[in-house]
Amino acid sequence: MAKARNLVQKIIAQHLVSGKMTPGAEIGLRIDQTLTQDATGTMAYLQFEAIGIPRVRTELSVSYVDHNTLQTGFRNPDDHRYLRTIAAKYGIVFSPPGTGICHQLHLENFAKPGKTLIGSDSHTPTAGGVGSLAMGAGGLSVALAMAGEPYMLPMPKVVRVRLVGQLVGWASAKDVILHLLGLLSVKGGVGKVMEFSGPGVATLTVPERATITNMGAELGATTSIFPSDAQTKKFLARMGRPEDFVALCADPRATYDEEVEIDLSALAPLAAAPHMPDRMVRIKDLDGMRVDQAAIGSCTNSSYTDLKATAEILRGKRIDPACDLLIAPGSKQVLKLLTAEGLLDVLLDAGARILECACGPCIGIGGSPVSKGVCARTFNRNFEGRSGTQDAQVYLVSPQTAANAALAGKFTDPATWGSAPVKAELPRRVPGIRQLFVFPPEEGRDVEILRGPNIVALERFSALPASLEGKIALKVGDNITTDHIMPAGAAIMALRSNIPAISRHVFEKVDPDFVSRIEALGGGFILGGENYGQGSSREHAALAPRHLGVKAVIVKSLARIHRANLVNFGILPLLLVNKDDYDTLAQGASLTIPVADIRPGKAVDIAVEGGAKVAVTNDLTTKELEIIQSGGLLNTVRLS
Ligand code: MIC
Ligand code: SF4
């Protein structure tokens, strides 16, 4: 009899190209679908061009434009034109700016149960809401997947998240994932996939599931996934693609590496307090706190279901005049549904500002709050300064909580909110927006790729020497995010296609002198704590430091996607054997790293000036070590 498998093992087994399904062992997966967004996509396509094959080799690759939609100069529009033309040339579907947020659009239009998907955005797991094994990755990893290469990753542990009961009152899907984050923390999911199961699953609609899998990224998890069941069937039918449905679930006797249980009936509205998504507090306990801005949208909570709930709460009412309410629908389909049902009027009449269907305020592209402003945002990240206002206090909440906060101008006890609106269901007939995507021509040979001056050619890095000497150019603490390393926001993100220019901003919010210091030192190392590089998939957080001469990061532990990006661009990710050594190493200390002696999984000593030694190890494979030593993945790729 075949061994009973959980859902994750089933999908992995069907796509396994190399390796054994033993947690921690390296596996190679065939990738069916890829997605990119513009802020990471330009690099990904420059890398795809460098690989040099004529056409993508996936079943489907989509290029979305949703981040840098603000066009305050030539940079972003030039990048969009590059993305449009390169998509046509290489066989990629193009989603023009304003069509919607990549994850919402992918869920509505392309995600399929049982398929593998990698995307150059950390919230790609949103598609796990329909049972797709969907992972965030660096742009170069996505470029290789488009070239038909397997995606390499450590076989994850599978955590069964057993849902029982059902949501009641004002509790929502957002509160499920906020609760899980409070339980497991922002590093609790590293090396793991969250597989949802149990009787509570059937009570959640696909948009609700997608909210949960989306923000599973904040656990540091490889991905999160729901089974494909009657809810999935209904969703795909309403999206006009019933043929994409296949039923998929774990075998009855499947086993898991770990298990967590959540009683949905016991949940109440929650928030993640500033400045980390796992700082869980009850809304009830924030009663009376002034709210200057409420923002509803982002790839976590911008579905029709979310905005209909918002409209029902605001119907016939006026928001507090001291509170700004921003609403960004996740896609034009959502916007059309709101319009068709008269809900857009309800939102406008209540005083909401309707933004473009894009990421916008989530990544500090417009919509920054007032100084010290308290915000109730339905987004997934509240890292310090990410809103564009350095001293803002961002609370991550559900749309229901944000709408109530906008009405009152403050957080109030949910017990005073009256009865919750009936859970919204997608109508039977959902207007299609498929005609808005630009499908590539059969043959791309004659398509001319148009590039603007913002696009700077890729840099090739040289191989590492046998021994690296240098100083610790910066010492940072735990949970350093890629937003700390390579800040976002409209001005800096417009430089995503220009590494020399964007590298001027590395670590600028942490230490404004970092760039001048590392330049004066002629390169160096970063010393970090636990979960270094958590958050986004932006490979610029590796590429730009590498451009400045960072050759190694020495840390207590690393986030998954950032670790892969460090390898891809030739930066040694070294792990302290004895975590207490972190305290003895100071910024400015001179180190000698014996690069030639480093072996996969083996400890070596770093010599510290003054004669001390510090042992470091690594979790690299032989191949990864070769990639780093040769100056990065692009130097080793030979495809035909
Ligand atoms: C984010 O939410 O931080 C982003 C912006 O979507 C990033 C991608 C990027 O930096 O371009 C992500 O989540 O990967
Ligand atoms: Fe866009 Fe925010 Fe989602 Fe990132 S988290 S993809 S910036 S909406």
Side-chain angles (χ1 to χ4, degrees):
M1 210 170 74
K3 192 170 173 290
R5 285 191 160 137
N6 57 48
L7 174 55
V8 174
Q9 291 166 338
K10 280 187 185 178
I11 303 179
I12 290 186
Q14 276 164 7
H15 292 84
L16 197 67
V17 177
S18 64
K20 285 218 164 58
M21 290 167 49
T22 315
E26 189 183 54
I27 54 169
L29 289 185
R30 179 167 47 76
I31 296 300
D32 302 318
Q33 300 188 341
T34 63
L35 71 80
T36 55
Q37 44 89 341
D38 52 314
T40 53
T42 49
M43 272 297 143
Y45 294 112
L46 285 171
Q47 289 152 352
F48 183 77
E49 283 187 272
I51 295 169
I53 62 160
R55 206 75 180 161
V56 292
R57 293 175 175 162
T58 45
E59 286 176 16
L60 173 87
S61 288
V62 190
S63 170
Y64 296 95
V65 178
D66 55 357
H67 282 64
N68 284 327
T69 57
L70 203 62
Q71 295 168 321
T72 53
F74 65 91
R75 292 187 180 84
N76 294 340
D78 279 7
D79 284 1
H80 302 164
R81 185 182 54 180
Y82 167 72
L83 292 169
R84 177 172 52 77
T85 52
I86 202 153
K89 183 156 194 88
Y90 291 113
I92 297 152
V93 179
F94 179 69
S95 171
T99 314
I101 304 175
C102 58
H103 308 302
Q104 178 66 25
L105 285 171
H106 205 79
L107 187 76
E108 290 170 354
N109 297 283
F110 301 111
K112 293 187 189 175
K115 295 287 180 188
T116 50
L117 162 70
I118 67 167
S120 61
D121 192 281
S122 64
H123 291 104
T124 303
T126 314
V130 292
S132 164
L133 191 76
M135 294 160 286
L140 180 50
S141 305
V142 176
L144 280 165
M146 288 192 286
E149 288 295 289
Y151 179 52
M152 309 303 294
L153 75 161
M155 174 67 195
K157 286 185 177 170
V158 186
V159 182
R160 179 185 200 197
V161 186
R162 194 165 180 275
L163 302 179
V164 298
Q166 66 181 72
L167 293 169
V168 287
W170 288 97
S172 74
K174 184 62 161 280
D175 303 306
V176 178
I177 186 63
L178 289 173
H179 173 78
L180 197 58
L181 272 154
L183 220 57
L184 303 181
S185 90
V186 289
K187 55 183 169 53
V190 177
K192 301 172 189 174
V193 176
M194 303 291 141
E195 178 175 322
F196 289 83
S197 74
V201 163
T203 69
L204 297 173
T205 62
V206 166
E208 291 179 301
R209 296 174 182 187
T211 292
I212 296 171
T213 57
N214 170 284
M215 208 174 164
E218 273 50 68
L219 294 163
T222 305
T223 188
S224 302
I225 189 167
F226 273 83
S228 172
D229 59 7
Q231 291 277 11
T232 325
K233 188 171 186 181
K234 186 159 83 178
F235 176 80
L236 291 171
R238 294 193 177 181
M239 289 296 127
R241 46 191 191 106
E243 66 285 359
D244 287 346
F245 174 72
V246 284
L248 263 183
C249 61
D251 291 330
R253 266 179 258 287
T255 55
Y256 293 83
D257 299 296
E258 289 171 26
E259 188 153 336
V260 185
E261 183 167 296
I262 301 179
D263 180 1
L264 299 175
S265 335
L267 295 178
L270 298 169
H275 300 287
M276 253 330 125
D278 60 359
R279 296 204 52 214
M280 204 240 291
V281 290
R282 291 181 305 183
I283 295 298
K284 182 173 161 208
D285 297 332
L286 300 176
D287 189 17
M289 183 189 284
R290 178 195 87 246
V291 171
D292 302 287
Q293 183 198 70
I296 303 178
S298 93
C299 55
T300 322
N301 279 121
S302 59
S303 66
Y304 162 78
T305 317
D306 290 323
L307 298 192
K308 175 149 182 174
T310 306
E312 291 312 337
I313 296 164
L314 299 180
R315 190 183 283 282
K317 300 189 177 133
R318 175 75 176 83
I319 58 166
D320 185 275
C323 182
D324 220 4
L325 172 61
L326 313 176
I327 298 182
S331 71
K332 282 193 176 168
Q333 183 174 69
V334 172
L335 191 52
K336 284 176 68 138
L337 275 167
L338 296 176
T339 319
E341 294 182 19
L343 298 173
L344 193 58
D345 274 351
V346 174
L347 299 174
L348 293 172
D349 291 345
R353 296 165 61 180
I354 304 297
L355 309 183
E356 187 174 25
C357 305
C359 301
C362 176
I363 193 65
I365 300 183
S368 297
V370 293
S371 294
K372 297 198 170 62
V374 174
C375 306
R377 296 180 151 208
T378 68
F379 308 164
N380 47 37
R381 289 185 175 145
N382 57 350
F383 304 144
E384 195 172 1
R386 182 173 158 109
S387 66
T389 301
Q390 196 60 27
D391 56 8
Q393 305 289 313
V394 176
Y395 290 81
L396 303 173
V397 300
S398 68
Q400 289 83 343
T401 298
N404 278 296
L407 285 177
K410 58 185 178 185
F411 286 116
T412 49
D413 185 340
T416 65
W417 295 352
S419 46
V422 178
K423 181 151 108 176
E425 287 275 357
L426 279 157
R428 283 192 178 280
R429 291 171 63 89
V430 175
I433 56 162
R434 241 188 139 69
Q435 75 285 2
L436 298 178
F437 297 110
V438 183
F439 289 86
E442 280 300 314
E443 170 56 62
R445 206 174 304 143
D446 297 332
V447 176
E448 188 193 351
I449 301 174
L450 301 174
R451 294 164 217 273
N454 193 40
I455 298 183
V456 170
L458 290 180
E459 183 177 355
R460 294 285 176 136
F461 300 117
S462 51
L464 291 187
S467 167
L468 268 176
E469 281 171 29
K471 286 193 170 137
I472 298 177
L474 185 70
K475 179 172 178 174
V476 288
D478 290 343
N479 291 324
I480 286 297
T481 69
T482 55
D483 282 38
H484 289 105
I485 306 170
M486 187 71 263
I492 302 181
M493 284 178 76
L495 305 172
R496 284 290 182 88
S497 315
N498 183 339
I499 298 299
I502 204 169
S503 68
R504 312 309 304 164
H505 302 277
V506 171
F507 277 121
E508 75 178 9
K509 303 254 166 70
V510 176
D511 180 349
D513 299 329
F514 173 76
V515 172
S516 50
R517 185 165 61 248
I518 194 146
E519 282 183 335
L521 291 171
F525 313 122
I526 308 291
L527 178 65
E530 300 282 4
N531 201 23
Y532 180 80
Q534 70 153 323
S536 85
S537 70
R538 70 189 70 141
E539 58 192 0
H540 303 72
L543 252 171
R546 181 69 173 84
H547 172 81
L548 295 172
V550 173
K551 305 265 173 46
V553 301
I554 304 160
V555 295
K556 294 184 186 171
S557 64
L558 278 160
R560 178 185 73 89
I561 309 178
H562 188 59
R563 176 197 172 281
N565 287 335
L566 292 172
V567 172
N568 285 352
F569 297 104
I571 298 180
L572 272 169
L574 299 175
L575 306 169
L576 290 165
V577 172
N578 177 359
K579 292 187 179 178
D580 293 342
D581 282 339
Y582 171 86
D583 300 318
T584 63
L585 287 170
Q587 185 168 311
S590 296
L591 310 179
T592 306
I593 303 177
V595 178
D597 297 342
I598 298 177
R599 302 279 174 275
K602 297 272 183 301
V604 287
D605 281 340
I606 292 183
V608 187
E609 64 179 329
K613 289 198 166 17
V614 163
V616 291
T617 185
N618 65 78
D619 58 2
L620 300 165
T621 62
T622 309
K623 173 96 191 300
E624 287 174 327
L625 198 53
E626 268 169 35
I627 291 170
I628 297 167
Q629 286 174 336
S630 64
L633 185 52
L634 268 183
N635 291 348
T636 66
V637 177
R638 299 274 174 277
L639 295 180
S640 52

